[in-house]
Structure formats: C-alpha cells, structure tokens
Amino acid sequence: MFFFFLLPFSACNEEYRSVITINNYPSIFPDYKEVTIPYNIAPLNFRVKEEAERLIVKIKGKGPEHEFRFRGNKARFHQKDWEGIMKTSAGNDLEITVSVGHQDSLKVYKSFTIHVSEDKIDDYMVYRLIMPGFQNWNQMGIYLRELSSFSEETVINSRLLPGTCMNCHTFLHNDPQNMVLHLRESYGGTILYHNNVLEKLNTKAGKMFANAAFPAWHPSAKYIAFSVNRVNQVFHASGSFRAAAIDMKSDIFIYDIERNEMLTSPALSAGDNFETFPCFSADGTKLFYCSADSVQMPQKFQQARYSLCSVSFDPETGTIGSSPDTVLSAAVTGKSMSLPRVSPNGRFLMFVMADHGCFPSYNPEADLWMLDLENGNYEPLTILNSDNVESWHSWSSDGHWVVFSSRRENGLHSNPFIAYIDSNGKPHKPFLLPQEDPSFYDSFLFSYNIPELIKAPVKVRPYTIVKTARSSPAVQVSSGSGH
Amino acid sequence: MRSIAVSGGWKIFYAAFSAATFIFFGVSYENHLIRMEQLQLFQTTAIYLADKLSVQGGFADYTGEFLVQFFGLPFAGAVVTGIMLSLVIILTGQIIRLVTAREPLMLFSFLPAAGWFLLLQNEFYSFSGVPGFLISLFASRFYLTLKQPSKRIFAGILLIPIVYWLTGAAYMTFVLVIVISEIIFRTKARELKPVPLAVLPAYLVIGIMVPLAARFLIIEDTLLQAYISGSYFRLSIFFPFPLVLIVISVPCFILLQEFLPFAPFAQSSLRPLRLNIISSCAIMLFLIVGILAWGDFRAEDQMEYDNLVYREKWNRIIEKAEREQPTDRLSMVAVNLALAKTGQLSARMFSLGQSEDFLFSEYERRGMTPFLAGEPFYHLGFINFAQMVAFETLESTPDAKFPSRSLIRIASTYLINGQYDIARKYLEPLSHTVFYRKWARECIRLSYREDEIRTHPVWAYMRSLSAKHDFFYNAGQMDVALRYLLLSNPRNKMAYEYLMAFYLLDRDLDSFLKYLPLTRQLNYDGMPKSWQEAAAYIATRLPDDLPQLEGFRPDQETINRIKAYADLFSGEPRDTTRIRQEYGDTYWYYLHFVK
C-alpha cells in the first residue's frame, strides 16, 4: 500500500522532474530495517530491490544529518563516514531515509530506524566456509572476520592443508587464547591451543568408536567436553529437503587437558542411548547435553527425539555425576532439542528445537529457543526465527549479542545473523553480517558454518597450524578411568 | 630481426607442426578441450578479474580461462592451441637467436612447444600454463632487446616479481634465461654488454626470495604453491617433473645451442638443412612416442560419449556404439541412455553388449564425480539425485574451480523443483559468462513465473517426470527408486524401460514378469525384442503356460530363434563362437554367457 504525489523541483533533488513520496519502507537487501546493531559494526551496505540510477540515503541520528549519494542501486558507505556516525550514535536511534532515483523521478521511501546499542559486540567472528554439498568437498576453510570492517583472514583452509576437512572451532569465553578445532581425513586430529601451546591430539582413546567432535570448553579451561558421533547421511528423492544427517551412535566424553585423558560415565555413554552436543554451565558444575532413546537407524530416524539433559560435574576431581536430570523432555515438547549453549552469566540456555534428530541444519523447521535456567520457562525466539533453519548460535562474551546461522535466504546456504539480547533475555530483530558489496550473498556459493564470536584475533598463524597438523604422530589421549 | 621462418625447411615444418596441432586437438582429441571448458566458469566481471589478480599466477590463469571459454565452439580449442604453441615456437627461437647470435636449431625451438603439446593431452595439466609460459618468454625477449646494461638491470629487478605475480612457475624460466644470457654475454663477445657480475646472484636471490616474501606478506599458500601457483597443474600438492622440464627447457636450449660442438656449424649453408631434417624427425618421433605414451584415448572416447549426451545427440551416440561397441561402464551408461531417449532400449539393448551395472554410473567418493553420472538421473526424472551428482562434481574437481556444466545442472534442478531463490544463486555467476549469459538470464527471468514454467517445453516436461513420492537414494536398489518414479508418473515410459532393463540385467525374471503387465498402460506397439526373448526363455523353462504371460506371447520368429538357440546351446561340443555370432544380440546370450 502506498500513495504518492508529485512535487515541483526541490532544492536538494533538482535533477528530478518529479518526487514521489511512498508511504512504505524501501525493499532493501540485506534487511536492516528496525534492527539493533552494535556501534562497532562494519558499514551496513545494502541494495534496493528495484532499478535505480541513483540512491540517496539520509542518516539522521544524534548528530547532524548525513546525506550519501550513490550511483546505481547499491548503498556502499565509506568506512570513515560510517565510523563517524557510529561514534556519535551509540545508545540512540538512526533514522534512515532512502530515496531511489530512476529516470526523471525520485521515490522517497518511508524512513526506517536502526537502533545502535551501547553494548559493543566482540570484535571478531570465526566461521567455516564450505559449499553446501553432499559428501564431496574440495575447498573449505575456517576464517576470521573483523566485525568493524570487511577484513577477513584465514585461520586455516584446505588450500594449506589439502584433502583435510576442518570444523568445530570452539573458544573458551570468546577468547582465542583457548581454542580447539578438528581436522579430518588427511592430517586428521584435534588441534588444541592452550597455555600458548599448540598441539595435535589423537582423541580416539580406549573404547571410543570415533574421534572426538562438537567440543565445549569448561569455564576453568581444564576440561573440554566432546561428543563422539557416527553420522550417516540419507538423500531424499523429492521435495526441498534434499538430505538428512543421522546419528547412528553417540556418546559424550570429557577431556582432562592436564592429565591428557578422556573421562566418561555411564550417564554419558549409556549403551542404547544417543548422547551428544555437550555444554558446561557457566559455573562449570553441570554439563548440559542432548539425549535420545535408541531407535532403529536409519529406518526410523524421524522418530529420534532428543531431550535436554544435564549431569553434575565436579571440576576439582573431574567426577561426572551418575544420575542425569532431564531438563526438557522430548516427550513433553514432542520435539527434539540440540545445540545447548549457556549464556555467559549462566541464566539463559539457548538451544535448537526441531521435529526430530540432532543435526538441525537439515531440518527446515529448526528454530532457536531460550530456556530461562532460573525459572525453567522456555519459549521460541520468534523474532530470530524464520520458516527455515536457524542453528549454530554463539553468545558474545558479554551475553548481549548472539550470532547464529540461518538458511532463511534461500533454504540452502547458511548465512550468519547477529541479534541483540537484552538483560531480560529478550531478543531484538537480527541482521545479516554486512558485506562490502551488498550483492555479495547473491552469488556467494558457500555456507557460513558455526559462526563464533571472539574478542581478539586468532594469534596462531595458519602456517603454524599447518606445521602442527603435519607433525606426526599426534599426542595420543589416554583412556582415563570413569569417575 | 630475421623472421623465424626464413628457410624453407623451417616454413614446411612450422606448417606441419601447426597442422598436426590443429588436426590432433581438433579431430582426435577435441573432447578433452571441450571438457576443459566445462570444468571452468570464466566470468567477465571486474571482481572476477580482481580475484584472479590477487594471487600469484592469477593472470596466467585468467588468460587461460579466457581462451578456454571458447573451446566449446567447434575447432576453437584446436585453433587457439595451435596459435599459442606457434607463439611458443617463435619466441623460443627468437630468444635463442638473441642470446647466441645464431640461427636456432629447429629442435630447440620446437621442443618446448612439443612438450606443451604432450602435456595438454593430460587433463590434470591446465591450459593456463601455456599463456603463463608465453608471458615469461615475452618478458625474456623484452629483456634481451635492451641494449644498455643499466636498463637490463632495472628491467630484470622489476620484471622478476612482475612475471612471478602474473605467471607463477614460469617466472623461473625468465630468471634462468636472463641469468644464463648474461653469463654467455660475459664469456662470449656479443653485441650486448654484460651487466656487472654481482647482478647475477642478485637476480637469483630475488627469484628465490620473491615467492617467500609473497607468502609471508600477501598470500597464504603452501611453499610449493607459492613458487608455482595453481595455474599449471590441477592438483596442488604436485609439480610434476614434465613441468619442471618445460620450465627449464628454454634456458637449457640456450646453453646447448651456445656450447654444444655442432653449434658453430649451425650457420653454414649445408649443416642447418641437415640438422633441421634430423630435428624434424626427432620432434616428430618425440610427438608420436609422446602421444602413444601419454594420450588417453580411452578417456577421449568416454568424453565423446559424455559430450554427445550433454548435447543430446542420441542417434550419434548409438551410431558410434554400433561402430565401436564400447565396453566400459560410463560409455555404456551413455549408450543405454541414448537408446532409452530414442525409445529403443528394450528393443536393442542386447545388440550393443551389456553388463548388469551399465544402466547407472557408480557413485563413490573417489576422484572427480563424472558429469555423466548424473545424466540418467536427470533424464529419468530423479531430479534430486541429478542435483546431488552435480554437487558432487562441483565439489570434487581437483583444482576446486566451479565447473560451468555443474552449475547449469544445479540451477536447472532447482528451477524444476521450484526453488527459485537457490536457482538464482547458481544462475547469477552463469549470467556473467559469455556463452551462458543468455540462458542464465532467461532462467532468471522465468523464475517465480509459474505460468510460464508450467508451459515451458523443457521445465514443464522435466517437472512432469520428477518424483512426487519421497524415498532415499540407494545405489543398490535402483529398481525400488524406478518403481517410485513410475508411481509418481505412470506415463514415464523411460523409467519403465529402465526398470525392465534393470530386472533383465539383474536376471530377476520374477520381477520382470511382475511388472510386464504395466506395458498395457504405456501404449506399446507389440513387445520389444528383449522382452520377447525373456518371455520366450521363461516359457521354455516351465512345463505349463504362465498366467502372467497371458497376452505377452513372443512372436513366431522369436520362438523359432530360441528353439534354434537351444539346439545350438545343448549341442556337444558347444560351439560358443557360433552362438556369439548368431545370438550375441539376444537376451539368451546375455543370460548364459555374460558374467
């Protein structure tokens, strides 16, 4: 719905014969309308989804109004101009007015607002880039993006380590001083950076049926919880759900870094159950994870529903509790929970809920939910969710920002969205990670996997990781006694 | 500057070499060149150029891709290859002449080009290597035309990093040529004054240090790739020895021309002619031996089938198969697809030799997934499986480039599935190419226009074939998949013929009989030959008439033939040669003699 009227020549738009005021928001990509952003974010470049010879963007905040003029349909702000606006706008709203010039008329759209939060986001994001294929891959990498600019650096990629799959980069407290990531196939092993030492581990210890995966740091930095999974894929013949990943078998182990041994307990590696996606509570005395009763795989994979569970953990002795609690039962929700992530203050637990299974990337209905650990209430993060997959969320160090991957743009490629979470756990409208060219996502054929926010750049150079990865043999993790 | 083709012998051999290049790559090896084009996606955008120029050897890669994009046109690949190799010959000759001040020996001028000729036979060698090598030769020639030593020093220091950045590995040719040339200028009296001696180690140090500095400051790559770049060999972990020979060939030939004993006679009136005749013979021998040793004509044959499938030249595939009778799985997958597309699969499949795995290609995680593997899926209506294979190809190319053919197939499958946002993502890069732009833009225009898609001759037809019932891919149970496909569209005659062919090849006559009645729904004018043969065979094995065969009786000719076959089969001793000659095109022969 819109209306327009013709105006005579206006002072600032003298080149247009008619100026049409439209009472609708402009259709722009990425959608930055009514979002909350940190003041240290890169320019929110965008394009209008219509033909344009000229774009005029007026930004009015606390300071003077800024007017930017662009050729074509893309708004690309200079870094310094943008930083200037951000510097004076923290804690305030920006009013953005977009005018689109085409032929001899100028369409002036209804202004929209962007709220600039006073809360800074961690300066960097780490993610894996990989094409959304099936089984093969020939290029992938883990990259570091500076969020205040468009600068991207390599942490490690398959150009440097040919034939090597890399994934599950995880940091303690958003600090790259403690980092773990996995390498598979060629040069396989777990790369651990801890106490300024980089080493490669062989995590398959004792009775473990595979190498460790999906790590989660203990807040003390003394332990890392892993799940061990045997995963299969099935490929659908019809419809838009092209594939599904199925956990055929899974257990959880806790790696004691100092003792170099894997700890487990019958609670975390029960024979018939699937246990996966561990995550420690903020105080480190509890381990959250997802668990499902065993079903016949792959035939009945759509019946596998994971509950959110927890078990006590004593960091002093490394003792794992023997009686797990069901925090949120799949029998109650009728859904399947995965990827629990506790907020830094320990109050909230964000997780993914889907119809079945534990690999939500393949479930279009997968949504982000939040559990308030103080009162046990849980609810969907509706403003963050879409009708496609939302998953792989990561809290910022202050707990006010969260980044997650979503397939909302086309249902196939995962892109990173950033959202503000206020002190009460209320989420604000998320925004897509800005790129220098607003058309970047139109033809970028890679998915962003596991976006993680970190406070400082990864200091270990790619060549150092390569050298460590190529060093053989890896440090063998021993099989510790179950506590 | 004397022309390189002054002497008659040169002219004749130069023409012969060019003709041989054109004939070989235009006629005998054309499909390798077409494949090169399918394995890349050259885009005309500034961003694409900038991306290429941001890495070492990227300009050579860009130039190579620019040229290869034309290889889909008839004979274009052969013409371009011929021109590029001719330039290699000319520049090699000019460089040798500039340094040694003598007419270059034909052997030395032609061998680097002949080396490239042979390397290009192997699909792991990138065409980009040729322009990279040429740029290096151009730079060498330019350096050698500078008369003042100071200018040469300046050019040398400046050109080493530039040639390195533009060409990757071929910069080594440039460094070696200028160092060896200066050594020769110092030891032998030449028109050009040599540069000071200290400059030569400086050239070498710069040559060694530039890639290291680039690796430390600009690029992130393995040490090997920092020196050679990805423009020469499609597997990044190797720099094969033949490429090393090519890189050092020109400097080595300069040395040989200068210092070998025959060289002083090279300018006499008789000697060059004799040497050139010997050279011509040696080069021809080198090429013939090289082609025999390196040429992969089996792959060329498979690629021809594959390209014919891609262009949907079904009758040409059948004609080729009738001439040559392929025995490898991929080629026979193409042949069976061609038979099915022309409605002849059930009638003629056993006349072209069969094996139980000739309907579909193997799906495994090893090497590059062949384009052809997805073709039967696509044409049958297994749209998601065709998409899966296209993705697998996209993500298994050795050099990690985007194959245009895979992107086209991926975009097509998403268009058929009505997933337009995804289709557009893959159409977008295609819309920035010279040859796929028109198609891609039309597809982008069509997306979300359901009315137009529904009446489109291609997309509407493909939608009508596609599976409506969901099931999982299982390479070992393609009959189940085919049955589901038929359930979605009972008029999918091709799926039905594949199903029946599957059972015949699997020797599963119970299932064959079970689904034979479906024939009635698909308007066959009589039973196809292989089905009649199977029905006749079943009839001979049972004492009573089978009710399932009611209405599916083989004709009299088939009955007479199976009787004769049975006599021959049970004869003592069994004359298998005669059986093959007379009944090699029957299902019975397949049943009894093909393992």
Side-chain angles (χ1 to χ4, degrees):
Chain A
M1 194 180 89
F2 67 92
F3 67 87
F4 67 89
F5 51 88
L6 299 180
L7 292 174
F9 299 153
S10 84
C12 60
N13 303 315
E14 63 280 359
E15 65 267 46
Y16 296 102
R17 287 185 58 196
S18 62
V19 176
I20 306 162
T21 302
I22 297 179
N23 194 25
N24 278 340
Y25 291 134
S27 184
I28 62 171
F29 182 84
D31 179 10
Y32 293 134
K33 298 187 292 280
E34 313 300 321
V35 297
T36 300
I37 61 170
Y39 63 84
N40 60 327
I41 194 72
L44 298 189
N45 295 341
F46 64 85
R47 65 173 166 80
V48 292
K49 293 179 180 175
E50 63 182 291
E51 279 191 62
E53 283 139 16
R54 177 67 66 91
L55 206 57
I56 302 170
V57 180
K58 291 179 183 173
I59 302 180
K60 192 179 173 192
K62 198 176 172 189
E65 182 178 88
H66 301 265
E67 181 177 301
F68 300 95
R69 290 176 168 241
F70 306 97
R71 284 183 194 281
N73 67 346
K74 294 177 184 175
R76 298 172 71 154
F77 304 98
H78 286 292
Q79 182 81 25
K80 280 192 177 169
D81 293 337
W82 182 260
E83 282 173 0
I85 294 169
M86 290 292 107
K87 204 176 277 181
T88 57
S89 303
N92 293 294
D93 284 347
L94 294 176
E95 189 181 290
I96 315 287
T97 308
V98 176
S99 304
V100 176
H102 188 51
Q103 293 171 346
D104 58 356
S105 69
L106 183 73
K107 288 190 266 187
V108 183
Y109 282 95
K110 184 180 171 183
S111 303
F112 63 87
T113 304
I114 291 176
H115 180 71
V116 183
S117 168
E118 281 179 310
D119 295 308
K120 185 188 176 196
I121 193 169
D122 293 332
D123 287 321
Y124 297 89
M125 185 190 292
V126 178
Y127 42 76
R128 180 174 75 156
L129 293 178
I130 185 171
M131 279 191 276
F134 287 79
Q135 297 195 70
N136 282 324
W137 55 268
N138 53 11
Q139 50 180 327
M140 73 166 77
I142 298 174
Y143 297 92
L144 174 81
R145 163 75 188 267
E146 187 179 44
L147 288 177
S148 60
S149 73
F150 301 108
S151 160
E152 185 185 72
E153 290 176 20
T154 305
V155 176
I156 185 70
N157 64 24
S158 56
R159 175 96 187 151
L160 293 166
L161 277 178
T164 308
C165 173
M166 48 208 65
N167 53 21
C168 294
H169 45 279
T170 309
F171 307 89
L172 169 61
H173 294 153
N174 308 80
D175 186 348
Q177 282 299 317
N178 289 295
M179 174 180 82
V180 64
L181 61 90
H182 296 303
L183 304 176
R184 310 273 183 216
E185 303 186 33
S186 310
Y187 311 114
T190 295
I191 298 291
L192 174 67
Y193 184 61
H194 178 60
N195 290 339
N196 295 317
V197 176
L198 189 73
E199 57 185 344
K200 179 177 158 185
L201 308 175
N202 180 5
T203 52
K204 192 177 172 191
K207 292 178 182 174
M208 289 169 65
F209 54 84
N211 284 302
F214 305 118
W217 282 90
H218 188 271
S220 68
K222 287 161 71 176
Y223 304 96
I224 306 171
F226 293 101
S227 63
V228 179
N229 307 66
R230 183 171 294 150
V231 184
N232 265 13
Q233 280 181 293
V234 291
F235 307 118
H236 294 271
S238 74
S240 53
F241 316 141
R242 59 192 196 121
I246 301 166
D247 213 351
M248 307 292 285
K249 193 176 179 185
S250 58
D251 287 327
I252 288 176
F253 292 81
I254 296 176
Y255 175 54
D256 183 328
I257 299 173
E258 283 174 19
R259 292 184 194 162
N260 186 38
E261 62 181 28
M262 282 289 182
L263 314 173
T264 190
S265 138
L268 298 177
S269 55
D272 293 338
N273 284 14
F274 302 136
E275 295 91 6
T276 189
F277 292 126
C279 168
F280 284 104
S281 60
D283 63 4
T285 60
K286 201 181 271 188
L287 181 77
F288 294 99
Y289 62 99
C290 300
S291 176
D293 291 337
S294 172
V295 295
Q296 191 187 3
M297 292 289 194
Q299 292 84 348
K300 296 185 177 175
F301 81 95
Q302 287 174 327
Q303 292 172 21
R305 291 197 173 80
Y306 287 72
S307 298
L308 181 62
C309 300
S310 72
V311 67
S312 63
F313 180 70
D314 182 350
E316 295 303 316
T317 60
T319 306
I320 303 165
S322 55
S323 49
D325 293 327
T326 301
V327 181
L328 209 52
S329 168
V332 173
T333 62
K335 301 273 182 180
S336 190
M337 271 72 71
S338 60
L339 298 171
R341 293 288 183 100
V342 179
S343 63
N345 64 6
R347 180 177 165 189
F348 300 108
L349 186 150
M350 199 180 287
F351 62 98
V352 177
M353 186 121 71
D355 286 349
H356 59 83
C358 67
F359 293 104
S361 300
Y362 294 96
N363 294 55
E365 77 286 354
D367 279 340
L368 293 170
W369 287 58
M370 188 95 95
L371 170 67
D372 189 331
L373 293 169
E374 280 183 6
N375 56 26
N377 292 339
Y378 63 98
E379 57 184 8
L381 298 171
T382 308
I383 201 161
L384 267 53
N385 292 324
S386 70
D387 57 3
N388 223 300
V389 184
E390 275 74 37
S391 64
W392 293 110
H393 43 287
S394 162
W395 292 93
S396 64
S397 57
D398 68 357
H400 276 303
W401 298 96
V402 66
V403 60
F404 60 95
S405 67
S406 172
R407 291 188 165 171
R408 70 187 62 185
E409 299 303 341
N410 66 11
L412 179 65
H413 296 86
S414 301
N415 291 325
F417 283 77
I418 299 169
Y420 182 72
I421 309 285
D422 69 21
S423 301
N424 297 318
K426 186 190 166 204
H428 291 228
K429 185 180 172 184
F431 63 94
L432 181 59
L433 177 70
Q435 302 290 349
E436 190 163 18
D437 181 354
S439 297
F440 170 84
Y441 292 103
D442 294 349
S443 55
F444 189 61
L445 301 182
F446 290 78
S447 270
Y448 286 77
N449 279 182
I450 319 181
E452 292 274 327
L453 294 168
I454 56 172
K455 294 183 283 192
V458 175
K459 286 189 181 141
V460 191
R461 286 204 71 188
Y463 298 138
T464 314
I465 297 177
V466 169
K467 196 177 167 190
T468 306
R470 286 173 184 264
S471 67
S472 189
V475 176
Q476 176 63 52
V477 173
S478 63
S479 173
S481 55
H483 289 275
Chain B
M1 181 68 60
R2 231 163 71 94
S3 163
I4 198 160
V6 164
S7 73
W10 269 85
K11 278 184 181 170
I12 292 166
F13 192 67
Y14 187 70
F17 184 87
S18 301
T21 306
F22 179 78
I23 291 166
F24 181 79
F25 286 107
V27 179
S28 305
Y29 228 64
E30 181 192 18
N31 293 285
H32 270 80
L33 299 188
I34 295 171
R35 170 64 59 87
M36 278 187 198
E37 190 280 324
Q38 295 172 352
L39 285 170
Q40 67 165 37
L41 185 78
F42 178 80
Q43 297 175 59
T44 54
T45 61
I47 291 174
Y48 192 74
L49 173 61
D51 277 352
K52 289 285 180 188
L53 292 181
S54 68
V55 293
Q56 77 286 15
F59 183 71
D61 197 24
Y62 186 85
T63 314
E65 284 190 6
F66 171 80
L67 295 170
V68 168
Q69 71 176 325
F70 298 101
F71 285 15
L73 301 172
F75 298 109
V79 170
V80 170
T81 308
I83 291 170
M84 298 298 277
L85 297 190
S86 301
L87 285 172
V88 170
I89 296 166
I90 292 169
L91 283 167
T92 306
Q94 288 180 347
I95 288 166
I96 294 173
R97 190 184 301 111
L98 280 167
V99 180
T100 62
R102 296 193 195 98
E103 192 59 29
L105 196 64
M106 184 187 279
L107 184 70
F108 297 157
S109 296
F110 276 78
L111 267 184
W116 276 115
F117 181 111
L118 296 181
L119 292 191
L120 289 176
Q121 293 180 105
N122 186 304
E123 51 192 307
F124 283 105
Y125 289 89
S126 300
F127 189 82
S128 310
V130 183
F133 189 66
L134 272 173
I135 292 166
S136 182
L137 294 185
F138 270 116
S140 305
R141 185 185 175 282
F142 170 75
Y143 176 92
L144 294 168
T145 55
L146 298 173
K147 291 190 174 165
Q148 289 179 19
S150 58
K151 283 186 180 173
R152 290 211 302 285
I153 295 170
F154 180 72
I157 292 171
L158 198 67
L159 280 174
I160 291 172
I162 291 175
V163 174
Y164 164 71
W165 197 253
L166 295 178
T167 73
Y171 93 102
M172 291 184 249
T173 303
F174 173 71
V175 174
L176 291 172
V177 165
I178 63 174
V179 169
I180 285 169
S181 303
E182 293 294 349
I183 291 171
I184 290 172
F185 296 157
R186 295 195 73 79
T187 53
K188 302 282 177 88
R190 291 284 185 274
E191 190 187 347
L192 295 184
K193 282 185 181 173
V195 299
L197 190 60
V199 173
L200 303 188
Y203 282 165
L204 290 173
V205 170
I206 293 170
I208 292 166
M209 292 306 294
V210 162
L212 294 178
R215 186 170 183 258
F216 190 75
L217 299 170
I218 308 170
I219 56 173
E220 267 156 357
D221 218 330
T222 59
L223 190 61
L224 176 70
Q225 288 296 304
Y227 276 92
I228 63 174
S229 82
S231 305
Y232 297 83
F233 197 63
R234 298 180 68 216
L235 290 169
S236 65
I237 51 174
F238 299 114
F239 189 59
F241 187 63
L243 267 179
V244 177
L245 291 179
I246 293 267
V247 165
I248 64 170
S249 61
V250 177
C252 285
F253 292 149
I254 291 171
L255 283 173
L256 288 172
Q257 171 94 17
E258 182 67 38
F259 295 110
L260 272 189
F262 59 73
F265 304 101
Q267 282 184 308
S268 74
S269 57
L270 267 179
R271 195 77 184 206
L273 184 62
R274 192 184 297 168
L275 283 173
N276 283 347
I277 291 168
I278 296 168
S279 293
S280 311
C281 295
I283 295 161
M284 280 192 289
L285 190 67
F286 177 68
L287 284 176
I288 290 166
V289 171
I291 289 169
L292 291 174
W294 276 56
D296 191 346
F297 291 97
R298 187 167 169 267
E300 171 68 16
D301 224 31
Q302 281 184 350
M303 287 179 198
E304 186 176 354
Y305 279 112
D306 181 35
N307 287 327
L308 290 171
V309 167
Y310 187 49
R311 287 155 52 204
E312 302 193 1
K313 303 289 183 190
W314 310 117
N315 288 325
R316 280 183 60 189
I317 294 170
I318 297 167
E319 286 164 18
K320 179 176 164 62
E322 285 169 341
R323 278 196 313 272
E324 300 162 0
Q325 182 50 66
T327 53
D328 65 283
R329 184 173 182 176
L330 266 184
S331 302
M332 279 306 295
V333 167
V335 173
N336 282 334
L337 178 60
L339 287 171
K341 290 293 287 185
T342 51
Q344 304 179 70
L345 181 65
S346 304
R348 298 190 57 198
M349 62 184 288
F350 291 104
S351 67
L352 289 167
Q354 292 293 340
S355 176
E356 63 183 9
D357 56 5
F358 279 177
L359 288 178
F360 297 100
S361 171
E362 194 175 8
Y363 176 47
E364 57 176 342
R365 269 196 74 190
R366 186 164 53 86
M368 194 185 100
T369 306
F371 291 121
L372 189 56
E375 295 289 347
F377 292 146
Y378 184 75
H379 289 281
L380 279 163
F382 292 121
I383 303 303
N384 281 21
F385 297 163
Q387 184 184 92
M388 176 181 75
V389 175
F391 266 110
E392 295 297 61
T393 308
L394 169 67
E395 300 195 39
S396 60
T397 53
D399 55 7
K401 285 185 178 178
F402 295 156
S404 51
R405 185 167 159 184
S406 298
L407 260 65
I408 290 169
R409 178 51 52 82
I410 290 169
S412 303
T413 58
Y414 280 115
L415 212 58
I416 293 164
N417 283 348
Q419 293 169 279
Y420 300 120
D421 283 339
I422 309 177
R424 281 184 171 207
K425 193 137 180 162
Y426 291 91
L427 290 166
E428 182 67 24
L430 288 163
S431 73
H432 298 301
T433 62
V434 172
F435 292 101
Y436 306 115
R437 180 194 316 251
K438 195 176 164 193
W439 178 85
R441 289 188 177 170
E442 173 62 9
C443 289
I444 290 172
R445 190 193 69 77
L446 277 174
S447 56
Y448 287 107
R449 298 187 184 206
E450 285 295 336
D451 289 347
E452 286 191 54
I453 294 268
R454 268 199 292 271
T455 55
H456 193 276
V458 176
W459 309 126
Y461 173 69
M462 293 310 297
R463 270 191 186 179
S464 76
L465 296 179
S466 64
K468 311 291 185 297
H469 301 274
D470 194 18
F471 50 92
F472 297 136
Y473 175 78
N474 184 339
Q477 294 185 333
M478 285 312 295
D479 56 328
V480 178
L482 288 161
R483 292 203 307 260
Y484 271 111
L485 206 56
L486 271 173
L487 202 62
S488 299
N489 182 352
R491 305 183 72 79
N492 188 340
K493 199 169 179 177
M494 193 171 143
Y496 180 58
E497 298 226 350
Y498 260 73
L499 179 69
M500 299 301 268
F502 181 93
Y503 288 135
L504 290 181
L505 292 175
D506 203 33
R507 297 169 169 87
D508 182 354
L509 296 176
D510 289 336
S511 298
F512 169 77
L513 273 179
K514 185 177 172 187
Y515 291 97
L516 193 57
L518 280 180
T519 308
R520 293 195 183 97
Q521 299 170 18
L522 289 161
N523 302 325
Y524 278 89
D525 295 330
M527 270 219 291
K529 178 175 172 284
S530 65
W531 300 0
Q532 289 204 43
E533 288 168 353
Y537 175 78
I538 293 165
T540 63
R541 305 292 296 170
L542 300 168
D544 303 315
D545 284 351
L546 266 182
Q548 294 98 315
L549 282 176
E550 191 59 46
F552 299 105
R553 302 287 166 207
D555 59 22
Q556 195 55 47
E557 188 189 341
T558 307
I559 292 168
N560 294 341
R561 261 195 110 192
I562 197 169
K563 281 179 182 164
Y565 173 82
D567 291 343
L568 209 53
F569 185 79
S570 52
E572 286 292 341
R574 185 180 293 160
D575 188 349
T576 50
T577 309
R578 193 175 152 201
I579 292 175
R580 191 175 69 245
Q581 281 170 351
E582 294 182 15
Y583 299 97
D585 63 345
T586 64
Y587 181 56
W588 316 313
Y589 182 82
Y590 172 81
L591 209 53
H592 291 131
F593 295 98
V594 177
K595 298 207 170 141

